[in-house]
Amino acid sequence: MAFASAAAVGPLVAGNGLRMANSTTTQAYLESKPVQEAKALLTELCRQFYHLGWVGGTGGSITLKVHDDSIPKPQQIIIMSPSGVQKERMLSEDMYVLSSDGSIVSAPSPKPYPHKPPKCSDCGPLFMKAYQMRNAGAVIHSHGMESCLVTMMNPTSKEFRITHMEMIKGIQGHGYYDELVVPIIENSAHERDLTDSLAAAIEAYPKTTAVLVRNHGIYVWGDSWISAKTQAECYHYLFDAAIKLNQMGLDWSTPTHGPIKRIQGDFRSGESAVSAKAGTSGLNPGEPKPRCIVLDIEGTTTPISFVTDVLFPYARDNVGRHLSSTYDSPETQDDIKLLRGQVQEDLKAGVVGAVPIPSDDEGKEEVIAALVANVGAMIKADRKITALKQLQGHIWRTGFQNNELEGVVFEDVPEALERWHSSGIKVYIYSSGSRLAQRLIFGNTKYGDLRKYLCGFFDTAVGNKRETRSYVEIFNSMGVDDPSEILFVTDVYQEATAAKEAGLEVIISVRPGNGPLPENHGFKTVNSFSEI
């Protein structure tokens, strides 16, 4: 972390009108009420978190910005707790003050033995990533036991997932029915060495407000200290719940929270039939052909860009037109009923972008305006919820009927579908999009109607695509005796892992625009369906 004199902070305008351009005015601002209140607040939070077990043994740390309406948030100065000290005994005078770029403006004076010389938090570089990449107002680093143990339940997992728990509503952008996903990064001997991996996780998970560090703890940030504190409390509650559910043999990541594994039939123990090394292509000569193939859409049959750059914008831009023209139809009234219920839950949970929907008595236009605002926020957050997916499917249907949309698939897909169909292999689609949306994409391509080659469509009604139970349900729906007779093709590592655990054969699709795969992922890969 860079060091600087107080005079080097730069020309920030303080809340009391002082310009922080030289040592005199900077010192005046450092002694101002907003800064002193922020220091006092941080000492109080450190004591509270100590008693919660989050910052014991001098571990963990907290930082927050000095809120000042006259200074843009990215330029507000930062208060940060020191490293290697008893957090419950800290005083305001022990705090570091940093400029918005991480340079130290003010450091505490040394204390006599047995106190160690003052040192700014080792978490500083990681805190700065949350400030810079997420415009955070506060960041909490906890060593709470729950945040450590939850990363150890599955030593190979790169994510923590949980759904259908009340406290999920306390996490920004999430509701009760949503799946909460927290990335897990690997620990290192020195805290600063985690900086790059934490930044990569923040970038890879745009919805997350936390990153877990395996065998270590968690970093949580929020728009303000209240948001960061509230979310940290909710995360620790959810981690504790997952640990206790795991001890009871229950699966915290599924809506039913049922048994982690069924004794017979559904889950395979041990290794799946897929045991290839990463990078191996296609099916090896002599291997038995699958009786059924299940295909993902985005990144597998269809470019991801078609969904993100064509379908999503079309739905967002045509919500108002669709609702106005079909408002009185039973179908649209059902869509509105679902949206009302979802928005009501979102408002209770404090979901960003949720706005109240007026009653029908207040007029059609007012209702539609509120619906458009809510749907736009849902699409922006890429929420996998039934109310949104159902409405999107109806909007896209109109687009396809009016020849404003055309389904897109990779060039190798039609030939492969025809070849598999001719050889007696049954082909299915499994996507997070609704079954209506799936039928529209494959029924309206430049290659004609490809649905004649497909035997069925699965959506999230069978379960989340990253849950093993979903693939067990798909297996139980097909006329095969063993899940290894089903080949699942996807571009998402977590989906591949879930399908493998259910006993399916799995191949990962590598297409232009797809996200990177973990090193040594252990799955066969293909660049084209011609390899299958």
Side-chain angles (χ1 to χ4, degrees), residues 394-414:
H394 295 150
I395 296 172
W396 291 332
R397 181 180 59 197
T398 301
F400 280 104
Q401 290 173 345
N402 295 341
N403 295 319
E404 295 172 339
L405 292 173
E406 182 180 66
V408 175
V409 297
F410 291 109
E411 293 182 355
D412 55 274
V413 171

Side-chain angles (χ1 to χ4, degrees), residues 45 57 81 84 129 133 189 241 351 362 372 433 435 465 480 511:
L45 291 174
S81 62
K129 289 298 181 182
M133 299 178 70
V351 175
E362 297 186 42
V372 169
R435 291 188 296 171
K465 294 188 69 183
V480 295
R511 301 283 196 176

Side-chain angles (χ1 to χ4, degrees), residues 320-393:
R321 183 180 72 169
H322 173 82
L323 292 175
S324 295
S325 62
T326 63
Y327 190 82
D328 295 321
S329 69
E331 181 179 81
T332 295
Q333 284 299 308
D334 182 54
D335 291 344
I336 293 174
K337 181 179 179 181
L338 277 177
L339 286 166
R340 282 187 184 276
Q342 183 65 54
V343 171
Q344 188 173 5
E345 290 184 7
D346 292 348
L347 289 169
K348 291 180 180 178
V351 175
V352 176
V355 298
I357 300 175
S359 66
D360 292 334
D361 295 338
E362 297 186 42
K364 170 181 173 180
E365 298 305 320
E366 285 72 16
V367 172
I368 291 176
L371 290 168
V372 169
N374 281 289
V375 170
M378 292 175 181
I379 293 174
K380 183 178 180 180
D382 191 21
R383 298 183 66 187
K384 312 293 185 184
I385 48 178
T386 301
L388 174 63
K389 295 299 181 182
Q390 179 171 303
L391 176 64
Q392 282 178 322

Side-chain angles (χ1 to χ4, degrees), residues 298 304-319 378-384 388-389 392 396 432:
E298 287 184 72
I304 292 176
S305 58
F306 173 67
V307 177
T308 58
D309 299 343
V310 178
L311 290 183
F312 282 178
Y314 183 89
R316 181 195 63 223
D317 296 341
N318 288 277
V319 175
M378 292 175 181
I379 293 174
K380 183 178 180 180
D382 191 21
R383 298 183 66 187
K384 312 293 185 184
L388 174 63
K389 295 299 181 182
Q392 282 178 322
W396 291 332
S432 59

Side-chain angles (χ1 to χ4, degrees), residues 50-95:
Y50 171 82
H51 291 294
L52 288 172
W54 294 2
V55 292
T58 79
S61 192
I62 315 171
T63 176
L64 55 83
K65 288 193 171 184
V66 177
H67 179 73
D68 191 328
D69 290 330
S70 66
I71 300 176
K73 188 175 179 181
Q75 298 173 17
Q76 292 171 355
I77 65 172
I78 298 165
I79 310 297
M80 193 173 295
S81 62
S83 179
V85 300
Q86 307 295 319
K87 298 296 191 299
E88 79 281 12
R89 297 181 62 84
M90 287 194 304
L91 304 173
S92 295
E93 64 194 40
D94 298 323
M95 298 300 170

Side-chain angles (χ1 to χ4, degrees), residues 22-280:
N22 56 62
S23 58
T24 303
T25 54
T26 296
Q27 186 62 35
Y29 185 64
L30 295 181
E31 295 174 358
S32 67
K33 183 178 179 180
V35 175
Q36 297 308 311
E37 287 181 343
K39 286 184 175 183
L41 172 62
L42 200 55
T43 62
E44 181 182 346
L45 291 174
C46 284
R47 284 193 293 272
Q48 180 179 351
F49 294 162
Y50 171 82
H51 291 294
L52 288 172
W54 294 2
V55 292
T58 79
S61 192
I62 315 171
T63 176
L64 55 83
K65 288 193 171 184
V66 177
H67 179 73
D68 191 328
D69 290 330
S70 66
I71 300 176
K73 188 175 179 181
Q75 298 173 17
Q76 292 171 355
I77 65 172
I78 298 165
I79 310 297
M80 193 173 295
S81 62
S83 179
V85 300
Q86 307 295 319
K87 298 296 191 299
E88 79 281 12
R89 297 181 62 84
M90 287 194 304
L91 304 173
S92 295
E93 64 194 40
D94 298 323
M95 298 300 170
Y96 278 81
V97 181
L98 286 71
S99 67
S100 60
D101 66 359
S103 302
I104 294 177
V105 175
S106 173
S109 301
K111 292 184 176 182
Y113 179 85
H115 296 284
K116 295 181 179 180
K119 177 185 177 185
C120 194
S121 175
D122 290 335
C123 307
L126 291 89
F127 288 151
M128 293 307 300
K129 289 298 181 182
Y131 283 134
Q132 294 161 359
M133 299 178 70
R134 290 298 175 84
N135 196 25
V139 192
I140 298 169
H141 175 43
S142 164
H143 284 190
M145 183 66 73
E146 308 94 327
S147 62
C148 180
L149 293 181
V150 79
T151 69
M152 302 168 69
M153 293 192 297
N154 184 349
T156 63
S157 176
K158 300 298 183 183
E159 299 171 332
F160 168 79
R161 291 175 169 270
I162 193 168
T163 188
H164 284 63
M165 293 287 287
E166 178 68 13
M167 294 296 273
I168 293 176
K169 292 159 60 174
I171 306 301
Q172 181 179 319
H174 290 77
Y176 172 77
Y177 295 104
D178 290 331
E179 182 184 40
L180 175 66
V181 181
V182 185
I184 303 173
I185 62 176
E186 300 304 319
N187 196 22
S188 64
H190 302 287
E191 199 105 25
R192 61 182 178 273
D193 295 336
L194 296 170
T195 306
D196 289 343
S197 54
L198 181 130
I202 292 175
E203 184 174 1
Y205 292 80
K207 284 188 66 176
T208 193
T209 55
V211 174
L212 282 159
V213 183
R214 197 180 313 278
N215 305 343
H216 183 147
I218 188 172
Y219 286 83
V220 182
W221 57 87
D223 296 334
S224 65
W225 71 268
I226 294 176
S227 173
K229 175 179 177 291
T230 300
Q231 292 185 93
E233 291 169 347
C234 291
Y235 278 118
H236 283 78
Y237 175 97
L238 293 166
F239 298 153
D240 187 41
I243 292 167
K244 290 177 179 176
L245 286 167
N246 182 58
Q247 291 171 340
M248 293 187 290
L250 302 179
D251 190 347
W252 60 92
S253 65
T254 61
T256 59
H257 301 150
I260 291 177
K261 290 190 176 184
R262 300 177 190 174
I263 295 176
Q264 293 181 340
D266 288 347
F267 287 43
R268 283 185 153 197
S269 60
E271 292 294 326
S272 157
V274 178
S275 58
K277 296 181 180 179
T280 304

